[in-house]
Amino acid sequence: AQTVTQSQPEMSVQEAETVTLSCTYDTSESDYYLFWYKQPPSRQMILVIRQEAYKQQNATENRFSVNFQKAAKSFSLKISDSQLGDAAMYFCAYRSVALNSYGGSQGNLIFGKGTKLSVKP
Amino acid sequence: DAGVIQSPRHEVTEMGQEVTLRCKPISGHNSLFWYRQTMMRGLELLIYFNNNVPIDDSGMPEDRFSAKMPNASFSTLKIQPSEPRDSAVYFCASSFRGRGAFFGQGTRLTVV
């Protein structure tokens, strides 16, 4: 079974600075998807960024980028120019890409325990 | 697109009562997930459906929990009878293949 581990329960960053959140995962599959989700105090789960394992290029979405190291099974999130609105829980997630007989993705969406990010003004 | 719609947003009920949570996924999405979130246990997957068929319900805590997806645009999660330990935020999410799951705003359930 796949597992996702976020080893940093809490992180803090100064406004305008850069912070990196860590995520590691365990899988025997060669193809899969990885995601970072943000959950602000409003509790809404927001998809931040997505990475396909077969793509070597790291995904980027504005101030958010990932460092995907497939061999190390590592998927870290870098937030540049941190803003007060970035304060939230951040969850790393994994999903298998294999299709089942129903035409949908084989595996469920597995989450890490989350990292609480604080942004200091 | 309206996104994933969950109802109700908040539910307070007495122990022993039946609770039904509802979810309307994003049109065209073929996977639907039900999650439960608590401070102690984090985000737990309860069940997920592909093309309206339950694929993995190993996360359903016990027989008091049941979920249905009668068609592609509607799903329910039912708890009967409810207990105080069921108090949590319940999320529904939908996705199309690997394009990431989109979450509803959640239902905060309080069982007293």
Side-chain angles (χ1 to χ4, degrees):
Chain A
Q2 296 85 11
T3 58
V4 177
T5 302
Q6 293 179 250
S7 59
Q8 306 153 315
E10 295 188 25
M11 292 281 285
S12 181
V13 63
Q14 203 72 34
E15 194 176 6
E17 297 295 309
T18 295
V19 64
T20 299
L21 308 183
S22 301
C23 173
T24 58
Y25 57 93
D26 187 26
T27 183
S28 59
E29 298 175 331
S30 60
D31 203 7
Y32 44 86
Y33 300 101
L34 296 165
F35 308 91
W36 278 99
Y37 283 84
K38 171 185 177 181
Q39 186 178 39
S42 67
R43 85 173 182 234
Q44 177 71 48
M45 291 287 285
I46 301 165
L47 178 61
V48 174
I49 200 165
R50 167 181 178 264
Q51 176 78 42
E52 298 172 25
Y54 70 88
K55 290 186 176 179
Q56 292 186 344
Q57 185 174 7
N58 289 322
T60 299
E61 288 288 341
N62 301 314
R63 297 182 295 107
F64 298 87
S65 61
V66 299
N67 183 5
F68 173 48
Q69 301 289 328
K70 191 172 183 179
K73 296 181 183 175
S74 171
F75 183 61
S76 60
L77 175 70
K78 186 172 81 171
I79 306 174
S80 304
D81 185 26
S82 297
Q83 301 175 359
L84 295 178
D86 295 333
M89 282 290 289
Y90 285 83
F91 294 93
C92 179
Y94 170 102
R95 191 175 192 199
S96 170
V97 75
L99 298 180
N100 58 31
S101 58
Y102 298 98
S105 290
Q106 183 73 20
N108 65 53
L109 187 57
I110 303 167
F111 284 86
K113 295 293 187 184
T115 296
K116 183 178 181 180
L117 178 66
S118 302
V119 181
K120 298 177 180 178
Chain B
D1 199 325
V4 177
I5 300 173
Q6 289 187 247
S7 64
R9 291 291 306 279
H10 303 274
E11 177 80 27
V12 180
T13 190
E14 291 185 348
M15 183 173 62
Q17 296 298 305
E18 178 180 293
V19 175
T20 299
L21 310 182
R22 297 173 175 80
C23 175
K24 177 179 170 57
I26 293 173
S27 178
H29 283 191
N30 62 349
S31 293
L32 184 139
F33 306 84
W34 282 102
Y35 289 91
R36 177 172 70 176
Q37 186 177 37
T38 61
M39 290 292 292
M40 291 296 293
R41 302 171 73 103
L43 201 58
E44 302 174 275
L45 177 71
L46 299 176
I47 187 170
Y48 88 97
F49 297 84
N50 274 151
N51 295 327
N52 315 337
V53 177
I55 301 300
D56 184 356
D57 65 355
S58 59
M60 296 287 262
E62 48 199 274
D63 292 345
R64 297 186 297 108
F65 285 68
S66 62
K68 294 182 179 180
M69 192 166 186
N71 56 61
S73 59
F74 185 66
S75 177
T76 59
L77 178 68
K78 185 177 293 186
I79 309 172
Q80 165 64 20
S82 57
E83 297 182 2
R85 61 191 168 123
D86 301 330
S87 297
V89 178
Y90 291 80
F91 285 102
C92 174
S94 70
S95 75
F96 179 71
R97 300 215 170 169
R99 292 178 188 158
F102 292 87
F103 282 70
Q105 293 188 295
T107 295
R108 181 177 293 280
L109 173 65
T110 303
V111 183
V112 298

